[in-house]
Amino acid sequence: FGMARKAAPGGPWVRMMSVGATKKMNLVGAINDALRIALETDDRAVIFGEDVGFGGVFRATNELQDSFGKHRVFNTPLCEQGIAGFAVGMAAAGATPIAEIQFADYIFPAFDQIVNEAAKYRYRSGGQFDVGGLTIRAPYGSVGHGGLYHSQSPEAYFTHTPGLKVVIPRSPSQAKGLLLASIRDPNPVLFFEPKALYRAATEEVPEGDFTVPLASAEVVKGGSDVTVIGYGAQMGVLQKAVARAEEELGISCELIDLRTLLPWDSDTVFASVRKTGRCLISHEAPITSGFGAELAASIQHSCFLHLEAPVARVCGFDTPFPLAHEKVYLPSVARCFEGIKQTCAF
């Protein structure tokens, strides 16, 4: 598929290092910390995008230009196609470009550069050339007041593209470790950041340099009655729904965070579904052709004889993201709880 193999265990992009001290950070602070470490540890690393020189609209790159200079952290014109094309060229020349698309909603002008150039560069050259040093960051998802142009979840458009990796973190520590792993992975990576959690999610984060392995899901909570799968900001919703299902209904839920959508960790998911016999998948993106559809089809194919109920999906609706009806559109705690309840009652 035109992708480099993952390094052996202990390699630089899958290593979970001994990090020692921790510091309380929110998610955007953890992103900033990861970017600072990337610039410190790789002289070829550069950061660019719209307004990143003064910190960006969310301040994810705050003070980095002051520390590393305008030749390593710099603004670009308001042209997503140009940002992505420039990043592809830099990566092809051996640099480590970390490009920012200010909102994931505006990544579509860069679509051709990402899916036809970055994703296929290694394959079309027979492995002679690659843009494996490329990472594209973009804040995605609902934020409470973003409306239809600042709230979308476009991950499924890219999970259909061999040659890319797609990563979405759920928390500050995960964001830091996964971002550093993405920057050091020998393949182009799209890193979608849940902007609703930028300042809402806070926890103790290791201060040192560490990575969280890509293509590896995490069983956040063990259980025996139903497997619940999500990623990104939706994990917080699912944790509350799972807790309510256990308290009110006595349902034992196994909760899985995919973390990487492409390639996704089918081994962990299949093992869980074969154990529980039931599965619910949830994401903010519209239900039709959302990434949950791929998960449901794969689970049905590989776990059919173990299933006690149809695979359920609780997702966004098939409409543009509605400002006035955001609370109705989103797969809320109540909707996910009802989905768990119906799946276990089947």
Side-chain angles (χ1 to χ4, degrees):
F1 297 121
M3 300 182 74
R5 293 184 180 275
K6 186 170 65 175
W13 46 83
V14 297
R15 182 174 61 238
M16 189 69 173
M17 298 179 66
S18 177
V19 290
T22 63
K23 181 180 180 181
K24 194 170 185 178
M25 299 182 192
N26 58 24
L27 195 141
V28 75
I31 293 291
N32 181 273
D33 196 35
L35 294 173
R36 179 177 297 277
I37 290 171
L39 291 170
E40 289 173 344
T41 57
D42 184 354
D43 292 337
R44 301 167 302 170
V46 292
I47 297 172
F48 51 89
E50 299 166 8
D51 303 322
V52 302
F54 71 82
V57 67
F58 293 107
R59 299 299 185 264
T61 55
N62 196 37
E63 299 183 353
L64 294 181
Q65 188 178 83
D66 294 339
S67 299
F68 297 95
K70 294 183 178 180
H71 63 296
R72 297 191 68 193
V73 182
F74 51 88
N75 295 334
T76 66
L78 306 184
C79 178
E80 288 78 12
Q81 183 179 12
I83 293 170
F86 183 63
V88 169
M90 287 197 73
T96 307
I98 307 166
E100 179 183 298
I101 302 296
Q102 196 168 82
F103 287 87
D105 310 62
Y106 299 129
I107 202 169
F108 300 114
F111 195 79
D112 179 67
Q113 289 293 328
I114 296 170
V115 303
N116 272 337
E117 302 300 335
K120 297 174 174 61
Y121 211 93
R122 179 181 283 113
Y123 181 84
R124 71 173 183 165
S125 71
Q128 296 182 74
F129 310 105
D130 68 79
V131 293
L134 170 62
T135 303
I136 297 177
R137 298 176 42 250
Y140 87 97
S142 68
V143 70
H145 50 77
L148 72 168
Y149 287 138
H150 296 82
S151 306
Q152 296 175 82
S153 300
E155 63 273 8
Y157 290 101
F158 299 99
T159 58
H160 193 64
T161 306
L164 296 177
K165 291 189 176 183
V166 179
V167 179
I168 305 181
R170 73 174 187 271
S171 68
S173 58
Q174 292 287 313
K176 179 178 176 179
L178 287 168
L179 180 55
L180 283 169
S182 297
I183 293 168
R184 294 164 179 171
D185 193 271
N187 299 283
V189 179
L190 290 179
F191 193 86
F192 290 113
E193 300 164 7
K195 60 180 178 287
L197 301 184
Y198 270 155
R199 288 171 175 79
T202 304
E203 66 182 0
E204 291 293 323
V205 178
E207 288 188 298
D209 181 350
F210 72 97
T211 56
V212 173
L214 303 187
S216 176
E218 180 182 3
V219 178
V220 177
K221 178 194 168 301
S224 57
D225 295 331
V226 59
T227 299
V228 179
I229 304 171
Y231 51 84
Q234 191 61 14
M235 288 300 298
V237 175
L238 291 175
Q239 285 176 317
K240 293 177 182 177
V242 161
R244 181 179 170 188
E246 296 204 339
E247 180 180 351
E248 296 184 16
L249 305 174
I251 296 174
S252 176
C253 304
E254 182 145 296
L255 181 60
I256 295 178
D257 178 11
L258 285 182
R259 303 194 294 195
T260 301
L261 276 62
L262 186 68
W264 61 282
D265 183 0
S266 58
D267 289 344
T268 296
V269 170
F270 293 163
S272 177
V273 175
R274 287 169 184 154
K275 178 180 69 173
T276 65
R278 292 176 171 83
C279 181
L280 180 139
I281 302 158
S282 185
H283 53 64
E284 285 187 19
I287 190 168
T288 298
S289 298
F291 191 66
E294 169 61 28
L295 295 173
S298 297
I299 290 167
Q300 185 274 340
H301 181 267
S302 296
C303 306
F304 182 74
L305 296 179
H306 298 266
L307 288 173
E308 301 291 342
V311 177
R313 287 182 291 158
V314 181
C315 308
F317 295 112
D318 291 334
T319 70
F321 199 99
L323 175 61
H325 302 292
E326 179 169 320
K327 291 183 179 180
V328 177
Y329 173 90
L330 290 173
S332 62
V333 173
R335 285 177 59 197
C336 292
F337 169 79
E338 286 300 319
I340 294 170
K341 180 179 177 180
Q342 292 172 15
T343 299
C344 291
F346 183 85

